[in-house]
Amino acid sequence: MAGPAASGSAGTGYRSITGPLLLPTWVMIGIFLLLPVLLMTVYSFLTREFRGGVDWTFSLAAYDRFLLNRGLFGDEPPVLEWTYITIFWRSIWQAGLATLICLIVGFPTAWFIATRPAHSRALWLFMITVPYWVNLLIRTVSLRFLLRDQGPLNDALIGAGLLDSPLQIINTNLAVQLGLFYSYLPFMVLPVYAAVERYNFALSEAAADLYASRWTTLREIVLPVVRPGIIAGCILVFVPSLGAFLAPDLLGGAKTYMIGSLIEEQFKGSQGNWPFGAAVSVILMTLVLIVLMIYARAQGRAGAH
Amino acid sequence: MAGRRDIRRYPGFAAMTVLCLTILYVPLFVVMAYSFNASTSLTNWGGLSLRWYADLFTGVEAPRFRAAAWNSVSIATLAAAASTIIATAAAVAMVRGGRFRGKGATFALINLPLMVPEIVTAVATLIFFSVIGLATGYLTILIAHITFCIPFAYLPIAARLEGIEESCEQAARDLYATRAQAFRLILLPLLMPGIISGFLLAFIISLDDFIITNFVKGAGMETLPTAIFGSVKQGIKPNILALSTVMLTVSILFVTLSYFVNRLGQRSRA
């Protein structure tokens, strides 16, 4: 070895071995995630076999089934199939509403934490994130336990004389939104907090000096400045909500059927349809990629200013 | 400043924070409380008791839960260990490797498990194993877990590494330490808080996973989340509340540990 650390910039000697260091990452994620996603895309264009498997012949049947209704025997003129579009639309709506609830609760929380004395902020943030690390299934089960018709919440409300008969919350849209909100709230609070923490409060000071009210200041000054944090939070809540499985499955009923359950059903038992499940997954993934690309462009534009 | 209003204060924001924390914690506390209920009924309070905890070890479902717990913990340990080692190597290359071809693509690859919706990862992984003819079971769960744990292990390790200056290692290298010696004696000890948090986060993420495991586990194989899900589908029973309480206590302990290790790390850096 000729003179270790000859030049200051290459001083730690890892430059020559970046390949071997990254090889395990490339192999694991490349072979066991990237390749499977590509394979799934191919799979969505294959023909379904009766025993739940596939026949390796090219077919558009899966996408055809998603979009078009050709009648019971497949010989009627195709009309637009609403079943699956409705499920997607409902999922987008539910995820969007959950995102909005997260924002309405999460923004004030993030603001409140960011305006605490520096030494206590870490503890507040910790308290917000702890539930996130509790098993998602257990959190969803807990919520289901609490909201049941004969559950503690209804008991308490009836006991307090506020209700005569149990309020049905479980199996409604509200329960699903509450579940999604409960699952992903920290994803909203953390990026918004990061943005508010960097916010220059002299701007609010200046606005106050010019006789702007508190809420005018919030609307005209604060929100535009912390917008990147809010958008990041919305993306981080919206994207996992869209493909959520546990909240709709355990808290919702037949009327709250979402994309996650639709996909899961295609891979269970002999009733399943793997190419169709793969096609729905491809459509979901495309939707998520579009959202992420819009986000990346918005961030890029914000960065250019 | 007297008479000026506090520009940082907004009426209702503190109340919203309290509401936020209430919604987050009440369901967990309610489950904890009811897990000590002596009654077989979920609705009536029958006095304080540990019977449902005993039931976890001796009840009808005990063998199933024990097997599931062993699978969960062993998979989480192995997956966290493997993904932490892989992520440490990757972080060293990404942070200390200077500029190299494909760095952007590698960064995207590391983050890919965070970008792809979980259910899509589950479907893709199942199809992949089915095509290559690998029977679903313990091994397929482990492989899937190592893969999606990598970014979670990577984030704290890379963040820690970015805060460590190169000067100590350079000094060691100038004094003829080999690259391996400089890594083992200088960088590794400094990096340890990041590695520990990375391991703990990967462990929790693996323990937490339901969707991907549910797809690639195969028949007869259970981890704790899939076993609980199976039970809950038939209705919530008191033993599930006890099991949930045990699991959420373990998770909270782990996160608290990770939090303090991190703070210790920050203090030692300052």
mmCIF file of all heavy atoms in Angstrom, chain B residues 15-43:
data_model
loop_
_atom_site.group_PDB
_atom_site.id
_atom_site.type_symbol
_atom_site.label_atom_id
_atom_site.label_comp_id
_atom_site.label_asym_id
_atom_site.label_seq_id
_atom_site.Cartn_x
_atom_site.Cartn_y
_atom_site.Cartn_z
ATOM 1 N N ALA B 15 -55.049 22.634 22.906
ATOM 2 C CA ALA B 15 -56.162 21.689 23.084
ATOM 3 C C ALA B 15 -56.102 20.610 22.006
ATOM 4 O O ALA B 15 -56.328 19.428 22.278
ATOM 5 C CB ALA B 15 -57.490 22.436 23.007
ATOM 6 N N MET B 16 -55.758 21.029 20.761
ATOM 7 C CA MET B 16 -55.660 20.069 19.667
ATOM 8 C C MET B 16 -54.555 19.045 19.950
ATOM 9 O O MET B 16 -54.709 17.868 19.646
ATOM 10 C CB MET B 16 -55.358 20.838 18.389
ATOM 11 C CG MET B 16 -55.892 20.204 17.151
ATOM 12 S SD MET B 16 -57.667 19.906 17.188
ATOM 13 C CE MET B 16 -58.125 20.474 15.577
ATOM 14 N N THR B 17 -53.441 19.516 20.514
ATOM 15 C CA THR B 17 -52.340 18.605 20.847
ATOM 16 C C THR B 17 -52.792 17.583 21.881
ATOM 17 O O THR B 17 -52.504 16.392 21.755
ATOM 18 C CB THR B 17 -51.136 19.398 21.396
ATOM 19 O OG1 THR B 17 -50.835 20.431 20.467
ATOM 20 C CG2 THR B 17 -49.923 18.513 21.580
ATOM 21 N N VAL B 18 -53.525 18.066 22.881
ATOM 22 C CA VAL B 18 -54.029 17.154 23.904
ATOM 23 C C VAL B 18 -54.986 16.146 23.277
ATOM 24 O O VAL B 18 -54.902 14.941 23.531
ATOM 25 C CB VAL B 18 -54.728 17.944 25.038
ATOM 26 C CG1 VAL B 18 -55.415 16.994 26.009
ATOM 27 C CG2 VAL B 18 -53.724 18.823 25.763
ATOM 28 N N LEU B 19 -55.854 16.646 22.390
ATOM 29 C CA LEU B 19 -56.794 15.757 21.694
ATOM 30 C C LEU B 19 -56.033 14.699 20.902
ATOM 31 O O LEU B 19 -56.353 13.503 20.930
ATOM 32 C CB LEU B 19 -57.677 16.582 20.754
ATOM 33 C CG LEU B 19 -58.661 15.783 19.895
ATOM 34 C CD1 LEU B 19 -59.822 15.294 20.749
ATOM 35 C CD2 LEU B 19 -59.177 16.607 18.723
ATOM 36 N N CYS B 20 -54.996 15.158 20.203
ATOM 37 C CA CYS B 20 -54.166 14.285 19.385
ATOM 38 C C CYS B 20 -53.574 13.161 20.234
ATOM 39 O O CYS B 20 -53.682 11.976 19.897
ATOM 40 C CB CYS B 20 -53.080 15.147 18.760
ATOM 41 S SG CYS B 20 -51.938 14.315 17.710
ATOM 42 N N LEU B 21 -52.968 13.528 21.353
ATOM 43 C CA LEU B 21 -52.351 12.519 22.213
ATOM 44 C C LEU B 21 -53.402 11.607 22.837
ATOM 45 O O LEU B 21 -53.180 10.409 23.002
ATOM 46 C CB LEU B 21 -51.520 13.199 23.308
ATOM 47 C CG LEU B 21 -50.223 13.843 22.801
ATOM 48 C CD1 LEU B 21 -49.564 14.660 23.896
ATOM 49 C CD2 LEU B 21 -49.260 12.773 22.310
ATOM 50 N N THR B 22 -54.574 12.178 23.157
ATOM 51 C CA THR B 22 -55.652 11.359 23.721
ATOM 52 C C THR B 22 -56.071 10.276 22.731
ATOM 53 O O THR B 22 -56.152 9.099 23.076
ATOM 54 C CB THR B 22 -56.871 12.240 24.059
ATOM 55 O OG1 THR B 22 -56.424 13.365 24.800
ATOM 56 C CG2 THR B 22 -57.894 11.469 24.865
ATOM 57 N N ILE B 23 -56.314 10.710 21.476
ATOM 58 C CA ILE B 23 -56.742 9.732 20.467
ATOM 59 C C ILE B 23 -55.667 8.657 20.287
ATOM 60 O O ILE B 23 -55.969 7.481 20.123
ATOM 61 C CB ILE B 23 -57.035 10.413 19.117
ATOM 62 C CG1 ILE B 23 -58.191 11.404 19.269
ATOM 63 C CG2 ILE B 23 -57.365 9.395 18.050
ATOM 64 C CD1 ILE B 23 -58.445 12.233 18.019
ATOM 65 N N LEU B 24 -54.401 9.069 20.350
ATOM 66 C CA LEU B 24 -53.324 8.108 20.130
ATOM 67 C C LEU B 24 -53.216 7.091 21.268
ATOM 68 O O LEU B 24 -52.943 5.920 21.032
ATOM 69 C CB LEU B 24 -51.979 8.829 19.976
ATOM 70 C CG LEU B 24 -51.737 9.560 18.659
ATOM 71 C CD1 LEU B 24 -50.383 10.247 18.680
ATOM 72 C CD2 LEU B 24 -51.798 8.598 17.490
ATOM 73 N N TYR B 25 -53.426 7.551 22.488
ATOM 74 C CA TYR B 25 -53.132 6.671 23.622
ATOM 75 C C TYR B 25 -54.342 5.960 24.221
ATOM 76 O O TYR B 25 -54.194 4.878 24.782
ATOM 77 C CB TYR B 25 -52.388 7.449 24.718
ATOM 78 C CG TYR B 25 -50.939 7.670 24.375
ATOM 79 C CD1 TYR B 25 -50.527 8.820 23.721
ATOM 80 C CD2 TYR B 25 -49.981 6.701 24.667
ATOM 81 C CE1 TYR B 25 -49.202 9.022 23.382
ATOM 82 C CE2 TYR B 25 -48.652 6.894 24.329
ATOM 83 C CZ TYR B 25 -48.269 8.055 23.691
ATOM 84 O OH TYR B 25 -46.953 8.230 23.350
ATOM 85 N N VAL B 26 -55.544 6.585 24.131
ATOM 86 C CA VAL B 26 -56.697 5.977 24.807
ATOM 87 C C VAL B 26 -56.962 4.522 24.393
ATOM 88 O O VAL B 26 -57.104 3.664 25.268
ATOM 89 C CB VAL B 26 -57.961 6.862 24.660
ATOM 90 C CG1 VAL B 26 -59.231 6.076 24.920
ATOM 91 C CG2 VAL B 26 -57.868 8.039 25.617
ATOM 92 N N PRO B 27 -56.989 4.214 23.069
ATOM 93 C CA PRO B 27 -57.253 2.815 22.717
ATOM 94 C C PRO B 27 -56.245 1.854 23.349
ATOM 95 O O PRO B 27 -56.609 0.769 23.800
ATOM 96 C CB PRO B 27 -57.136 2.803 21.194
ATOM 97 C CG PRO B 27 -57.380 4.194 20.775
ATOM 98 C CD PRO B 27 -56.843 5.062 21.866
ATOM 99 N N LEU B 28 -54.969 2.279 23.400
ATOM 100 C CA LEU B 28 -53.941 1.396 23.960
ATOM 101 C C LEU B 28 -54.169 1.189 25.457
ATOM 102 O O LEU B 28 -54.102 0.060 25.955
ATOM 103 C CB LEU B 28 -52.546 1.991 23.719
ATOM 104 C CG LEU B 28 -52.190 2.274 22.257
ATOM 105 C CD1 LEU B 28 -50.771 2.801 22.142
ATOM 106 C CD2 LEU B 28 -52.334 1.007 21.421
ATOM 107 N N PHE B 29 -54.471 2.279 26.166
ATOM 108 C CA PHE B 29 -54.699 2.154 27.610
ATOM 109 C C PHE B 29 -55.938 1.324 27.911
ATOM 110 O O PHE B 29 -55.956 0.540 28.860
ATOM 111 C CB PHE B 29 -54.806 3.536 28.260
ATOM 112 C CG PHE B 29 -53.483 4.239 28.355
ATOM 113 C CD1 PHE B 29 -53.368 5.597 28.095
ATOM 114 C CD2 PHE B 29 -52.326 3.529 28.687
ATOM 115 C CE1 PHE B 29 -52.134 6.244 28.169
ATOM 116 C CE2 PHE B 29 -51.090 4.162 28.761
ATOM 117 C CZ PHE B 29 -50.995 5.518 28.502
ATOM 118 N N VAL B 30 -56.980 1.509 27.082
ATOM 119 C CA VAL B 30 -58.212 0.738 27.309
ATOM 120 C C VAL B 30 -57.926 -0.753 27.159
ATOM 121 O O VAL B 30 -58.335 -1.569 27.991
ATOM 122 C CB VAL B 30 -59.318 1.194 26.326
ATOM 123 C CG1 VAL B 30 -60.469 0.205 26.300
ATOM 124 C CG2 VAL B 30 -59.812 2.580 26.713
ATOM 125 N N VAL B 31 -57.171 -1.109 26.113
ATOM 126 C CA VAL B 31 -56.838 -2.525 25.911
ATOM 127 C C VAL B 31 -56.004 -3.048 27.088
ATOM 128 O O VAL B 31 -56.250 -4.140 27.605
ATOM 129 C CB VAL B 31 -56.098 -2.724 24.570
ATOM 130 C CG1 VAL B 31 -55.371 -4.050 24.540
ATOM 131 C CG2 VAL B 31 -57.099 -2.657 23.428
ATOM 132 N N MET B 32 -55.036 -2.233 27.518
ATOM 133 C CA MET B 32 -54.208 -2.632 28.665
ATOM 134 C C MET B 32 -55.087 -2.900 29.885
ATOM 135 O O MET B 32 -54.955 -3.920 30.549
ATOM 136 C CB MET B 32 -53.224 -1.524 29.013
ATOM 137 C CG MET B 32 -51.961 -1.532 28.199
ATOM 138 S SD MET B 32 -50.856 -0.254 28.856
ATOM 139 C CE MET B 32 -49.453 -0.468 27.794
ATOM 140 N N ALA B 33 -55.991 -1.970 30.160
ATOM 141 C CA ALA B 33 -56.845 -2.095 31.346
ATOM 142 C C ALA B 33 -57.710 -3.352 31.257
ATOM 143 O O ALA B 33 -57.758 -4.145 32.192
ATOM 144 C CB ALA B 33 -57.720 -0.851 31.489
ATOM 145 N N TYR B 34 -58.355 -3.558 30.088
ATOM 146 C CA TYR B 34 -59.261 -4.699 29.972
ATOM 147 C C TYR B 34 -58.533 -6.041 29.945
ATOM 148 O O TYR B 34 -59.136 -7.083 30.140
ATOM 149 C CB TYR B 34 -60.160 -4.548 28.731
ATOM 150 C CG TYR B 34 -61.401 -3.745 29.019
ATOM 151 C CD1 TYR B 34 -61.372 -2.359 29.064
ATOM 152 C CD2 TYR B 34 -62.619 -4.376 29.277
ATOM 153 C CE1 TYR B 34 -62.500 -1.609 29.344
ATOM 154 C CE2 TYR B 34 -63.757 -3.650 29.559
ATOM 155 C CZ TYR B 34 -63.684 -2.256 29.595
ATOM 156 O OH TYR B 34 -64.816 -1.531 29.880
ATOM 157 N N SER B 35 -57.217 -6.027 29.680
ATOM 158 C CA SER B 35 -56.484 -7.294 29.676
ATOM 159 C C SER B 35 -56.376 -7.855 31.096
ATOM 160 O O SER B 35 -56.087 -9.030 31.278
ATOM 161 C CB SER B 35 -55.089 -7.100 29.080
ATOM 162 O OG SER B 35 -54.260 -6.402 29.977
ATOM 163 N N PHE B 36 -56.612 -7.014 32.108
ATOM 164 C CA PHE B 36 -56.554 -7.473 33.509
ATOM 165 C C PHE B 36 -57.941 -7.805 34.043
ATOM 166 O O PHE B 36 -58.126 -7.985 35.234
ATOM 167 C CB PHE B 36 -55.909 -6.403 34.393
ATOM 168 C CG PHE B 36 -54.467 -6.157 34.043
ATOM 169 C CD1 PHE B 36 -54.078 -5.018 33.355
ATOM 170 C CD2 PHE B 36 -53.489 -7.086 34.397
ATOM 171 C CE1 PHE B 36 -52.752 -4.797 33.021
ATOM 172 C CE2 PHE B 36 -52.154 -6.868 34.073
ATOM 173 C CZ PHE B 36 -51.789 -5.733 33.386
ATOM 174 N N ASN B 37 -58.921 -7.857 33.128
ATOM 175 C CA ASN B 37 -60.296 -8.127 33.532
ATOM 176 C C ASN B 37 -60.482 -9.620 33.801
ATOM 177 O O ASN B 37 -60.165 -10.458 32.963
ATOM 178 C CB ASN B 37 -61.221 -7.675 32.389
ATOM 179 C CG ASN B 37 -62.685 -7.774 32.761
ATOM 180 O OD1 ASN B 37 -63.008 -8.213 33.865
ATOM 181 N ND2 ASN B 37 -63.545 -7.372 31.850
ATOM 182 N N ALA B 38 -61.002 -9.950 34.989
ATOM 183 C CA ALA B 38 -61.178 -11.356 35.347
ATOM 184 C C ALA B 38 -62.322 -12.005 34.568
ATOM 185 O O ALA B 38 -62.359 -13.214 34.397
ATOM 186 C CB ALA B 38 -61.425 -11.486 36.844
ATOM 187 N N SER B 39 -63.246 -11.196 34.089
ATOM 188 C CA SER B 39 -64.441 -11.730 33.454
ATOM 189 C C SER B 39 -64.140 -12.324 32.076
ATOM 190 O O SER B 39 -63.236 -11.875 31.375
ATOM 191 C CB SER B 39 -65.471 -10.609 33.326
ATOM 192 O OG SER B 39 -66.487 -11.003 32.459
ATOM 193 N N THR B 40 -64.921 -13.337 31.693
ATOM 194 C CA THR B 40 -64.792 -13.916 30.357
ATOM 195 C C THR B 40 -65.449 -13.001 29.333
ATOM 196 O O THR B 40 -65.108 -13.030 28.157
ATOM 197 C CB THR B 40 -65.478 -15.296 30.297
ATOM 198 O OG1 THR B 40 -65.192 -15.974 31.511
ATOM 199 C CG2 THR B 40 -64.982 -16.113 29.137
ATOM 200 N N SER B 41 -66.408 -12.221 29.820
ATOM 201 C CA SER B 41 -67.088 -11.294 28.927
ATOM 202 C C SER B 41 -66.203 -10.080 28.698
ATOM 203 O O SER B 41 -65.477 -9.645 29.581
ATOM 204 C CB SER B 41 -68.418 -10.866 29.547
ATOM 205 O OG SER B 41 -68.591 -9.484 29.418
ATOM 206 N N LEU B 42 -66.275 -9.556 27.484
ATOM 207 C CA LEU B 42 -65.449 -8.384 27.178
ATOM 208 C C LEU B 42 -66.083 -7.113 27.724
ATOM 209 O O LEU B 42 -65.420 -6.099 27.888
ATOM 210 C CB LEU B 42 -65.296 -8.239 25.670
ATOM 211 C CG LEU B 42 -64.283 -9.146 24.993
ATOM 212 C CD1 LEU B 42 -64.397 -9.023 23.494
ATOM 213 C CD2 LEU B 42 -62.877 -8.796 25.443
ATOM 214 N N THR B 43 -67.386 -7.181 27.985
ATOM 215 C CA THR B 43 -68.115 -5.962 28.316
ATOM 216 C C THR B 43 -68.132 -5.662 29.811
ATOM 217 O O THR B 43 -68.031 -4.516 30.215
ATOM 218 C CB THR B 43 -69.570 -6.059 27.817
ATOM 219 O OG1 THR B 43 -69.631 -7.072 26.846
ATOM 220 C CG2 THR B 43 -70.018 -4.760 27.239
#
